[in-house]
């Protein structure tokens, strides 16, 4: 009785919970059709060299514009895509689209050395992931060095042996790897020795506190020193003003990405930005 009443009261009095699960369900249904319906697009955010602001590459960031739900942020739909397995076809679409964009820019003389693509755990764990990457490179005609794959620490922490084989296969293809959100994950530094990674992206949470908080600065110093010793480049994520940029440069970071330089932009806008900044 009490249980039944409890359940009933949950239904009646917890519309927030109910609508949340309904929303996840609706998102999943809509997301599964988003590719065919042409609702997905990529925005591109430049990465710059801190010494002189020269653009070096871009990160591709997925955008979903649903006709009724409006713009759904990645923070909401990437999780849904990961939980449902939809991230596999979505990830393939992102990879191919980003490489096509790079080839187009290359043909048009837009200065962009590479395009970075985010990779989810489920994508990376597919046994044939390196083959999918190779196939996308072949289909689009992009060279391996035009691509960078952004992995999170959790991708490498889980099932290290399989991850090692996958990173080795990607290395053999010549595709550079970066660790995204570095310093926030399940941090075993051992994998930095074992995996063929080229860049560390210092998480925005540390970057935001540089100039304000000695602990965040100590962490940035440590990451920059570690990267230098291991021969890796560092990219500061989420740099929002020039002061932060100057402080990060002084602390040994090489590259930056953030609103201080450019926001993620649709392809045409990004191309103009790259042309102007790359002159
Ligand atoms: P991320 O890979 O760490 O991407 C950086 C995020 O920081 C982006 O959010 C970007 O818009 C935001 N950002 C850049 N500069 C600044 C800044 O100066 N200040 C602040 N506050 N934020 C800044 P976005 O586009 O909303 O993407 C969020 C996350 O969604 C990404 O984090 C990534 O984990 C995931 N994501 C986006 N696109 C894809 C995709 O194609 N595949 C996968 N698997 N994940 C994706
Ligand atoms: Mg990223
Ligand atoms: Mg990040
Ligand atoms: Mg992230």
């Amino acid at each position: 009785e009490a249980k039944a009443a409890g359940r009933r009261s949950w239904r009646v009095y917890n519309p927030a919970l109910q609508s949340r699960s309904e929303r996840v369900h609706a998102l999943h249904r809509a997301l599964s059709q988003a590719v065919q319906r042409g609702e997905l697009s990529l925005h591109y955010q430049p990465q710059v060299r801190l010494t002189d602001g020269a653009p070096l590459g871009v990160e591709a960031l997925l955008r979903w514009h649903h006709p009724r739900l409006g713009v759904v942020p990645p923070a909401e739909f990437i999780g849904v895509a990961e939980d449902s397995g939809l991230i596999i076809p979505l990830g393939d679409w992102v990879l191919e689209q980003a490489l096509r964009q790079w080839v187009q820019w290359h043909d048009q003389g837009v200065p962009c050395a590479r395009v970075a693509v985010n990779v989810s755990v489920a994508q990376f764990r597919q046994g044939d992931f390196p083959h999918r990457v190779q196939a996308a490179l072949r289909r689009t005609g992009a060279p391996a060095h035009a691509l960078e794959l952004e992995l999170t620490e959790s991708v490498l922490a889980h099932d290290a042996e399989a991850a090692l084989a996958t990173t080795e296969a990607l290395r053999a293809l010549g595709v550079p790897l970066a660790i995204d959100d570095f310093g926030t994950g399940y941090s075993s530094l051992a994998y930095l020795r074992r995996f063929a990674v080229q860049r560390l992206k210092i998480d925005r949470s540390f970057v935001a506190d540089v100039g304000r908080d000695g602990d965040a600065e100590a962490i940035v110093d440590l990451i920059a020193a570690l990267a230098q010793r291991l021969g890796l480049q560092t990219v500061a994520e989420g740099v929002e003003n020039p002061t932060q940029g100057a402080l990060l440069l002084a602390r040994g970071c090489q590259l930056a990405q953030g609103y201080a330089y450019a926001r993620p932009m649709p392809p045409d806008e990004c191309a103009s930005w790259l042309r102007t900044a790359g002159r």
Side-chain angles (χ1 to χ4, degrees):
E1 252 264 308
K3 234 182 180 173
R7 212 178 296 140
R8 193 163 50 236
S9 66
W10 180 86
R11 272 211 204 109
V12 175
Y13 295 115
N14 242 331
L17 276 180
Q18 199 175 13
S19 70
R20 193 186 130 63
S21 85
E22 270 170 11
R23 186 166 164 87
V24 166
H25 196 69
L27 281 179
H28 173 247
R29 226 181 314 111
L31 193 54
S32 62
Q33 299 168 323
V35 173
Q36 302 97 289
R37 295 189 174 176
E39 295 167 4
L40 298 179
S41 64
L42 293 181
H43 280 194
Y44 296 88
Q45 186 178 34
Q47 291 180 355
V48 304
R49 188 162 59 199
L50 273 167
T51 47
D52 59 2
L56 293 181
V58 295
E59 177 177 7
L61 294 158
L62 189 55
R63 296 292 179 260
W64 178 22
H65 194 281
H66 185 270
R68 254 180 323 102
L69 301 171
V71 176
V72 188
E76 190 158 4
F77 74 81
I78 291 289
V80 173
E82 284 173 338
D83 294 346
S84 62
L86 273 177
I87 195 68
I88 304 286
L90 285 187
D92 284 345
W93 183 86
V94 169
L95 183 61
E96 180 136 351
Q97 187 70 21
L99 290 173
R100 283 198 193 292
Q101 187 63 67
W102 185 90
V103 169
Q104 193 192 331
W105 283 345
H106 180 75
D107 292 346
Q108 296 171 346
V110 174
C112 180
R114 60 173 179 272
V115 58
V117 168
N118 291 285
V119 176
S120 287
V121 178
Q123 279 178 277
F124 189 81
R125 280 202 207 139
Q126 299 170 99
D128 64 346
F129 181 67
H131 287 110
R132 284 172 182 253
V133 172
Q134 187 176 29
L137 290 169
R138 263 209 215 106
R139 277 196 300 273
T140 57
H145 64 76
L147 177 63
E148 176 168 84
L149 296 176
E150 294 194 1
L151 315 173
T152 55
E153 290 167 273
S154 54
V155 167
L156 300 181
H158 180 94
D159 195 355
E161 289 315 310
L164 188 62
T166 303
T167 55
E168 285 304 319
L170 291 168
R171 194 233 294 262
L173 288 178
V175 175
L177 303 179
I179 311 262
D180 205 351
D181 310 332
F182 186 74
T184 59
Y186 174 76
S187 285
S188 154
L189 293 177
Y191 69 74
L192 285 181
R193 286 178 62 203
R194 302 185 64 202
F195 295 108
V197 166
Q198 276 77 24
R199 266 180 278 277
L200 302 180
K201 299 191 75 177
I202 302 174
D203 190 69
R204 186 166 90 213
S205 58
F206 307 124
V207 169
D209 284 337
V210 164
R212 290 203 301 233
D213 170 26
D215 292 348
E217 289 172 357
I219 291 169
V220 170
D221 288 347
L222 182 74
I223 296 174
L226 180 70
Q228 195 184 10
R229 288 293 296 272
L230 296 174
L232 311 177
Q233 277 192 328
T234 43
V235 185
E237 289 195 280
V239 180
E240 294 191 346
N241 60 63
T243 310
Q244 282 174 344
L247 290 171
L248 288 155
L249 177 61
R251 310 198 93 87
C253 293
Q254 286 110 12
L255 310 178
Q257 186 181 338
Y259 299 165
Y261 311 97
R263 290 184 175 257
M265 296 170 275
D268 290 351
E269 208 179 309
C270 189
S272 320
W273 192 96
L274 290 166
R275 281 191 198 276
T276 306
R279 264 205 302 264

